Amino acid sequence: MLSYRHGFHAGNDADVLKHVVLVQLLLHLTKKETPLWVVDTHAGAGIYSLEHGYAARNAEFRNGIGRLWTRGDLPEPVARYVDEVRRVNPDGVLRNYPGSPQLALQLTRAQDRLRLFELHGNEGRALEAQFRDAGRRVAVVAGDGFAGLKAVLPPPSRRGLTLIDPSYETRDDYGAVVAAVTDGRVRFPTGCFAVWYPLLQRREAVRLPETLTRLAGDGDWLHATLQVRAPQDDGFGLHGSGMFVFNPPWKLDAALREALPVLSRLLAQDEHAAHTLRGRAR
């Protein structure tokens, strides 16, 4: 399970979808003065070099953020995300990619708090080094983010965003996501929970959004998918990804309706690229 290194995939199409949604969530949720707690169950290293190491080997970012980097015609939600990536590339050259923790740090305020979990030893040490000077705003926990949710939910301010984004390397991750969401929403029913998952030809991947929809019950939810190519004949490999958001903030759906058609066009790897957006708001 601990063989996974997100650096191989940093900045790819799945990261683009996840982080376009994350940036919009943070922009909306920080409009109120009350402190916001941001919890990331699988935080990774925080920031990734695209010139060296894991990300440079497969260069998956070239079909993700790389396709958006020099464009001047992006819709506002996508352009806002690219602007946040530019903050870790001040010379204008795409050299680094910010993971979810770094984006959260950039978009939160002095009164907000980040709680970052990472079980992988090397990733966790990189995460600690990245946020060593962040002060009391950030706490990095070397441990299981699924288990760690019990200690941080509900947050003292009763305002929070929980990002749940495991690697899904094993089938156990799917059940762990459902259990974490179920327990988390009991502990913190008004909290915003965002679940990232891969589009795979695997039964668990197909059933996960169906299960999450049932868990949402009568509450508000939003489910976005971005497919960039046809599923592979052998059934292996991602052909896209999805984000399922419980208690989404107002206007998130409008932002994604603007962003998703452009992303499916610009990130398409073949003629099977597509997107969906479904949900319910009262």
Side-chain angles (χ1 to χ4, degrees), residues 34-220:
T34 308
L36 177 73
W37 280 53
V38 180
V39 182
D40 192 338
T41 61
H42 297 76
I47 193 167
Y48 303 90
S49 170
L50 301 179
E51 295 183 310
H52 311 286
Y54 297 108
R57 295 186 192 179
N58 296 339
E60 291 186 18
F61 68 90
R62 291 177 183 166
N63 284 327
I65 181 62
R67 294 195 182 188
L68 309 176
W69 187 247
T70 60
R71 299 193 69 97
D73 58 349
L74 298 172
E76 193 280 334
V78 181
R80 190 67 175 81
Y81 149 73
V82 175
D83 286 345
E84 292 304 317
V85 181
R86 293 190 188 283
R87 291 178 64 177
V88 298
N89 296 280
D91 64 356
V93 179
L94 182 58
R95 307 178 191 275
N96 302 296
Y97 189 80
S100 302
Q102 179 64 30
L103 290 171
L105 184 69
Q106 292 173 191
L107 287 162
T108 50
R109 309 152 300 175
Q111 68 266 38
D112 301 324
R113 297 290 181 266
L114 277 62
R115 296 296 180 262
L116 311 174
F117 294 89
E118 179 52 52
L119 187 59
H120 193 292
N122 291 334
E123 298 276 88
R125 285 187 287 273
L127 187 66
E128 289 177 351
Q130 177 67 22
F131 291 98
R132 184 172 293 125
D133 299 325
R136 60 181 298 185
R137 287 181 59 196
V138 181
V140 175
V141 181
D144 180 3
F146 289 131
L149 287 180
K150 293 180 172 61
V152 295
L153 298 181
S157 65
R158 296 302 193 271
R159 296 193 67 246
L161 165 62
T162 301
L163 176 63
I164 302 175
D165 57 340
S167 66
Y168 298 94
E169 272 196 301
T170 72
R171 288 181 169 86
D172 291 344
D173 277 347
Y174 294 91
V177 166
V178 172
V181 169
T182 301
D183 183 72
R185 295 187 72 235
V186 170
R187 294 172 181 273
F188 188 27
T190 60
C192 180
F193 292 81
V195 177
W196 175 88
Y197 71 95
L199 295 184
L200 294 167
Q201 287 190 294
R202 173 184 276 187
R203 181 177 59 184
E204 294 85 358
V206 173
R207 289 183 175 178
L208 179 60
E210 298 171 355
T211 301
L212 296 177
T213 301
R214 289 195 296 271
L215 289 179
D218 295 329
D220 294 349

Side-chain angles (χ1 to χ4, degrees), residues 17 24 60 197 219 225 231 233 245 251 254 270:
L17 175 63
Q24 288 300 308
E60 291 186 18
Y197 71 95
T225 67
D233 291 338
V245 183
K251 292 189 176 180
D270 64 23

